Amino acid sequence: MPAKDIYHDAVKNALIKDGWTITDDPYTIQYEDAELYADLAIEKRTTNEGSECKIIIEIKSFINPSLMSAFEMALGQYILYRNFLRLTNKDYEIYLAVRDTVYNTFFQRKSVNAIVKINQIALVIFNNEKEEVTQWIS
């Protein structure tokens, strides 16, 4: 079982405040001989005919001295999880949870923004001090 990110509880509390139900913590992704653990699975009933929105959340702290190295690892993990989810459970979308301070600085770099768009990375931006979701980007 992987270690939890330092912002794990802050993200979890932010999602609960935002009306989401935590269904798995962590969420196990299994495909053939691979077993991986995404941080959270969440659900929320939508107003559209009572359907449910199901999301996997992968939390990344970006506290390493090299934010680009952290981004490389986060991107690889995100793509890997997204591909395995497409093979195993197409009901779920995957989002990468990023602190608002990192999003407002590092993720605004042209190079990073281009990679996010090319890879169609869905983001949930959170404020770790207030434990609130500030933005959903898909």
Side-chain angles (χ1 to χ4, degrees):
M1 192 79 55
K4 291 183 179 179
D5 185 275
I6 62 169
Y7 298 113
H8 186 91
D9 289 337
V11 172
K12 194 172 170 180
N13 292 334
L15 293 167
I16 291 169
K17 278 186 189 177
D18 204 43
W20 293 89
T21 300
I22 309 295
T23 59
D24 295 89
D25 178 8
Y27 178 79
T28 304
I29 302 170
Q30 289 182 300
Y31 179 75
E32 299 292 337
D33 58 344
E35 184 171 288
L36 304 165
Y37 300 96
D39 289 315
L40 297 170
I42 61 174
E43 291 182 358
K44 186 182 218 180
R45 188 164 299 281
T46 64
T47 56
N48 297 338
E49 302 172 13
S51 63
E52 287 186 334
C53 183
K54 297 179 177 184
I55 295 175
I56 299 297
I57 303 288
E58 184 57 29
I59 304 163
K60 290 298 168 201
S61 61
F62 288 92
I63 56 173
N64 294 343
S66 171
L67 293 180
M68 193 57 81
S69 292
F71 182 59
E72 287 175 18
M73 292 185 66
L75 178 63
Q77 193 173 21
Y78 179 91
I79 291 170
L80 185 67
Y81 288 5
R82 181 174 61 194
N83 289 342
F84 278 129
L85 284 170
R86 286 178 179 165
L87 292 169
T88 61
N89 195 339
K90 295 179 181 181
D91 291 340
Y92 282 99
E93 295 179 48
I94 183 166
Y95 280 71
L96 184 66
V98 178
R99 281 183 297 143
D100 54 359
T101 54
V102 172
Y103 177 75
N104 292 330
T105 55
F106 180 73
F107 275 74
Q108 298 310 309
R109 292 172 60 171
K110 287 183 179 181
S111 59
V112 174
N113 199 305
I115 297 302
V116 167
K117 286 182 181 175
I118 289 169
N119 288 284
Q120 301 175 333
I121 299 172
L123 299 168
V124 57
I125 313 303
F126 68 95
N127 179 293
N128 60 298
E129 294 173 1
K130 294 179 182 176
E131 297 187 343
E132 292 178 350
V133 172
T134 60
Q135 194 173 0
W136 291 88
I137 302 169
S138 57

